[in-house]
Amino acid sequence: MPRSLLDIDDLTTDELDTVLSRAADLKAHGDGEPLHNQTLGMVFEKPSTRTRVSFETGMTQLGGHAVFLGPDDIHLGHGEPVKDTARAVARYVDFIMARVFDHADVEELAEYATVPVINGLTDDAHPCQTLADLLTIREQFGGFDDVSVAWVGDGNNVCQSFVIGAAMAGIDLTVATPEGYGIDDDVRERAADLGNEPETTNDPEAAVEDADVIYTDVWVSMGQEDQREQKLADFEGFQVDSALVGDRTVMHCLPAHRGEEITDEVLESDNAIVWDQAENRMHAQNGLLTWLAEQE
């Protein structure tokens, strides 16, 4: 079975370092066309600006090609079983990237596909975002030593992958969420097994006290629109504003709901490195794609 990336700890800590180093090198120097004539099939149940553009442009930079497969283009799970889609599409492409709701679907794709499968986001995890986050922190601080990050907001899929990635990188992490919106026990245990369980709190100000970086994400994710009013009430006091930020660096995976989880003032300030983060989606994924190509 080919190597896939369904969550960030499908990589070892050494492999994570290799992928990040490869990404940094490709960003700085390029590397010809290492994926010449190779094709990435991009399966989308959920829309995305950054995921589609970064993967499609990245494959072009690497000498390959990307095929967009939206929910109206294929029969994933509603015209044929996921395993049949996996086996058929794998006969045409060299990689599959899937951005879907149910994490079990990417697991089934990876089980039956004969090419590497990359999780472009599920309701449980977002490993490609974590790769970009870690690449951005590494660039900003020259590494991970003595870097402290505070996550402020929802313990969602982006948060949970970042918790694991931070544990792998040795980043000191505190997660501040409202009661009932924390990270899963399984995620906490996986981070603990890596020797770096995050601190958790319901107090944003306490979380950021010793932080170098504040990271946040939307409170109302795709598919949760019916929970909007309840979540806005539950997350009162968790907005990342100038008073909370001070002189700290700010990260956000985007898109942002300005005026909810983060203020327009903070997002437009020099403290925010969100556009470096967004760009690094492509570079991190290029590093991953070229690394995966060498594992077969």
Side-chain angles (χ1 to χ4, degrees), residues 2 19 37 77 87 90 96 99 108 124 148 154 161 188 191 229 231 250 280:
V19 169
N37 281 343
R87 288 182 287 204
I96 296 172
R99 183 179 174 89
E108 190 169 355
D124 290 349
S148 178
D154 192 7
S161 285
R188 185 193 300 275
E229 294 306 318
K231 290 195 112 180
V250 175
N280 281 336

Side-chain angles (χ1 to χ4, degrees), residues 216-259:
T216 191
D217 189 15
V218 296
W219 297 336
V220 184
S221 299
M222 281 179 285
Q224 297 180 343
E225 289 77 13
D226 60 334
Q227 303 172 35
R228 177 176 176 78
E229 294 306 318
Q230 183 64 54
K231 290 195 112 180
L232 291 181
D234 291 344
F235 281 83
E236 186 176 355
F238 279 78
Q239 185 182 74
V240 175
D241 58 16
S242 296
L244 188 70
V245 170
D247 61 356
R248 300 173 182 87
T249 297
V250 175
M251 296 174 64
H252 192 304
C253 62
L254 302 178
H257 293 171
R258 295 171 184 245

Side-chain angles (χ1 to χ4, degrees), residues 39-44 52 56 65-70 93 97:
T39 300
L40 169 70
M42 304 189 302
V43 176
F44 281 83
R52 179 175 180 179
E56 192 160 338
H65 175 66
V67 177
F68 175 79
L69 302 168
V93 304
M97 184 282 296

Side-chain angles (χ1 to χ4, degrees), residues 12 55 107 113 117 128 133 227 257:
T12 67
F55 268 111
E107 293 177 330
V117 173
C128 290
D133 298 339
Q227 303 172 35
H257 293 171

